[in-house]
Amino acid sequence: MKEIVPAPPAIVRNDYESVRDLFARNVVPSYGRFDLALSHGAGSYVFDVAGKRYLDLGGGIAVNCLGHAHPAIIETLVEQASKLMHVSNLYYTEPQGRLAAEIVKRIGAGKVFFSNSGAEANEGLYKMARKFGHDEGRFEILTATNSFHGRTLAGIAATGQEKVKKGFEPATPGFRHIPYNDLDAAWAAISPATVAILIEGVQGEGGVTPATPAYLLGLRALCDEKKLLLFMDGVQDGHYRTGKFQSFQRILETASGSEKFVPDGLSMAKSLGGGFPIGAFWVRAPYADLLGPGTHASTFGGTPLACAVALKVFEIIEREKLDAQARKLGDGMLNELKRLAQVYPAVVKNARGLGFMLGIELAEKIPAFASSEKSAAVQFTNRLHAAGVMVIPAGTQTIRLLPPLNLKPQEADEGISKIEEVVKLLA
Ligand SMILES: Cc1ncc(COP(=O)(O)O)c(C=O)c1O
């Protein structure tokens, strides 16, 4: 492979103040950003424009499953880009077909539609539900409180959190929320208009809360009985993050009666492309042809470039057994975080999660945080940044660890000891 020469920096003064100034003057301020301007990364580390190094335990919010600047991904990008980057979905391309086959192989008999993001993948599921129920006048999709499904208009209607909806009313019709992990509430919520239920296997933005096996199996039985589609949003918890390809496969691995469990549709994005944008939804065989020619489309969906990268990501995860590694290291980190909750209850209330999807719930009223308006999660994250670790807040009280699946054992140890240093100083 030819040596890749990095492009010169796009701005003359690559320092924090000048980068922030460019944003202040030119970028829509819809994000709450941390006071960090990042310049490059390698493996599990990211560097800011001043050269400070951070252990990246946030993974770009569960995206960088192979870390930064993975040589095989760079090589695939260059090779495929020099062959065919995009042709549109008016034609067949081999990488898209092969990637669909890899996904089907890992979930079950069905078909795949490709999009560019998680929200767009979920939009496809909403449309499928509408098509499925159309002739009977059924259109309503039930989703869970505290869920997160994306920021499109239908996405914020589906999301079970008021903060994403505020100011954008009237809401897209056809969504209603039910309490998570509450099967009785799901049964009670079904109306003649209900056509589908959509849930995350592990709620991410909502604070890292896994579904119980009984909830998943119960929803399957409910959907079968009431002729509803059961959809799962695997955008954040999927792609081996929990140690299995999809979180339901991990949650149900020891549950009796779960052998045949499979949802009717499942959305994915984030880690699917390891940092290159790609989303997708899988749909179970009986419904796989519901969206016929002309009913759904996306110009950039499933480009040869995106699919070639995603195929390489699959290949590396499988060859290096990163699923088992994420599970072992992640479950080990969870034990350490639980120890912190025991030793420092005034700072850490609880730790939970599966594999490399971990949540640290902070105690309420940490004295050192009292004088600031910022949430505990943001203040804790700022302190971790100062200590050289990146994590992701989830709500106001929880921080998430979503590290690359190829995190090394010594990096996991480094992360835990830096988190402990910060916790100790707050105790
Ligand atoms: C569970 C879940 N669904 C959907 C989305 C939306 O994905 P995207 O931001 O790629 O549109 C997210 C993003 O965080 C998510 O966590």
Side-chain angles (χ1 to χ4, degrees), residues 117-119 122 148-150 200 205 233 235-236 270:
S117 66
N122 285 332
F148 186 83
H149 299 297
E200 294 156 88
E205 306 284 325
D233 181 334
V235 167
Q236 187 166 152
K270 290 193 182 277

Side-chain angles (χ1 to χ4, degrees), residues 118-130:
E120 197 194 351
N122 285 332
E123 290 280 342
L125 294 181
Y126 311 146
K127 280 183 72 174
M128 233 173 47
R130 290 259 177 130

Side-chain angles (χ1 to χ4, degrees), residues 61-63 116-122 126 147-152 159 199-200 202-205 233-237 267-270 278-279 357 400:
I61 323 184
V63 168
N116 303 283
S117 66
E120 197 194 351
N122 285 332
Y126 311 146
S147 60
F148 186 83
H149 299 297
R151 295 285 195 151
T152 55
T159 293
I199 57 149
E200 294 156 88
V202 183
Q203 288 192 332
E205 306 284 325
D233 181 334
V235 167
Q236 187 166 152
D237 63 12
S267 56
M268 53 204 104
K270 290 193 182 277
I278 181 169
M357 186 164 183
R400 269 172 294 173

Side-chain angles (χ1 to χ4, degrees), residues 276-313:
F276 195 89
I278 181 169
F281 70 78
W282 167 91
V283 44
R284 195 159 73 88
Y287 313 109
D289 295 334
L290 263 177
L291 293 178
T295 57
H296 196 45
S298 172
T299 296
F300 288 123
T303 64
L305 186 58
C307 293
V309 173
L311 281 164
K312 184 57 74 174
V313 171

